[in-house]
Amino acid sequence: MAGRPRLTLLLLLVLLQPALADQRAPELDALFEILQAPQTTPVKARRITAEIWTYWLQANTPQAQELMDQGIAYLNEFALEQAARVFSELINVAPEYAEAWNKRATVFYLMGEYELSTSDVKETLRLEPRHFGAISGQGLIYMQVERKAEALHWFRRALSVNPFLEGVQQNVEMLEESLNGKLI
């Protein structure tokens, strides 16, 4: 009987822990399906996109969440060295957390470290192939290095996952016009 109170206490402790979203939550599949549905409106798509980001930004442990929040704060302050350090620490703590890799890819992009950014984008997409933020980020990298055809490919890929990314659509239109008759 001594084991039963311990088990009950352990279950209570687990249940009382703050609920953190899971980047692999089955709800994400449904949200991505809604983005692809013909009846989805731009207004609904913005809400669904925000919901997806909510899942992606939630770590599975309090320590990882604290690091994510700290890294985002540094990123928002444009303290890029500190943000890179924190996101690297987060990756060491939670290597399967796709958004940690994506955030560090963003920092590297802002630092002009395009190869490092691309490497982190690849890891992000290995963990979450539907990560339209990372996909479009790779398009931005290719735009920066004047590889327009590759940029266009990545932006189109992002739109195939989330057809409601207005900035990405604008980039596609601009690149199509720029490449008109050359590669399309």
Side-chain angles (χ1 to χ4, degrees):
M1 287 285 188
R4 184 170 247 145
R6 281 188 193 163
L7 180 60
T8 303
L9 179 60
L10 181 61
L11 284 172
L12 280 174
L13 288 173
V14 168
L15 291 173
L16 294 175
Q17 290 292 319
L20 296 176
D22 182 357
Q23 67 183 11
R24 293 183 184 95
E27 293 86 357
L28 282 169
D29 293 336
L31 294 172
F32 278 102
E33 285 179 28
I34 293 169
L35 284 176
Q36 298 294 320
Q39 67 272 22
T40 300
T41 65
V43 170
K44 187 173 187 177
R46 278 192 292 277
R47 184 180 56 77
I48 296 300
T49 298
E51 219 173 312
I52 290 169
W53 278 108
T54 298
Y55 278 99
W56 286 346
L57 287 167
Q58 295 300 311
N60 287 330
T61 68
Q63 178 189 14
Q65 189 63 54
E66 184 176 323
L67 288 168
M68 175 58 79
D69 295 342
Q70 183 181 24
I72 289 171
Y74 282 132
L75 184 57
N76 288 339
E77 295 170 5
F78 216 71
L80 300 179
E81 294 291 334
Q82 293 92 332
R85 180 184 45 78
V86 170
F87 290 130
S88 294
E89 184 179 346
L90 176 55
I91 288 166
N92 287 332
V93 168
E96 296 299 308
Y97 183 21
E99 191 56 28
W101 293 93
N102 183 58
K103 286 290 184 260
R104 192 173 74 174
T106 301
V107 171
F108 286 150
Y109 171 81
L110 293 170
M111 295 170 85
E113 297 287 347
Y114 303 129
E115 288 182 28
L116 292 173
S117 184
T118 292
S119 178
D120 282 0
V121 166
K122 287 179 184 174
E123 191 61 24
T124 303
L125 295 177
R126 182 187 71 78
L127 296 167
E128 173 51 273
R130 305 170 295 191
H131 200 299
F132 48 80
I135 297 168
S136 62
Q138 188 64 52
L140 291 173
I141 292 167
Y142 281 125
M143 280 184 68
Q144 285 297 317
V145 297
E146 299 293 322
R147 293 174 59 184
K148 293 179 181 180
E150 288 94 335
L152 180 60
H153 163 79
W154 284 89
F155 290 138
R156 285 178 175 161
R157 182 173 165 191
L159 290 174
S160 75
V161 176
N162 183 346
F164 296 94
L165 301 170
E166 293 173 19
V168 173
Q169 183 59 49
Q170 291 169 355
N171 286 336
V172 166
E173 292 167 7
M174 179 192 65
L175 287 167
E176 286 175 344
E177 186 175 313
S178 172
L179 294 169
N180 190 19
K182 295 179 185 174
L183 296 171
I184 299 177

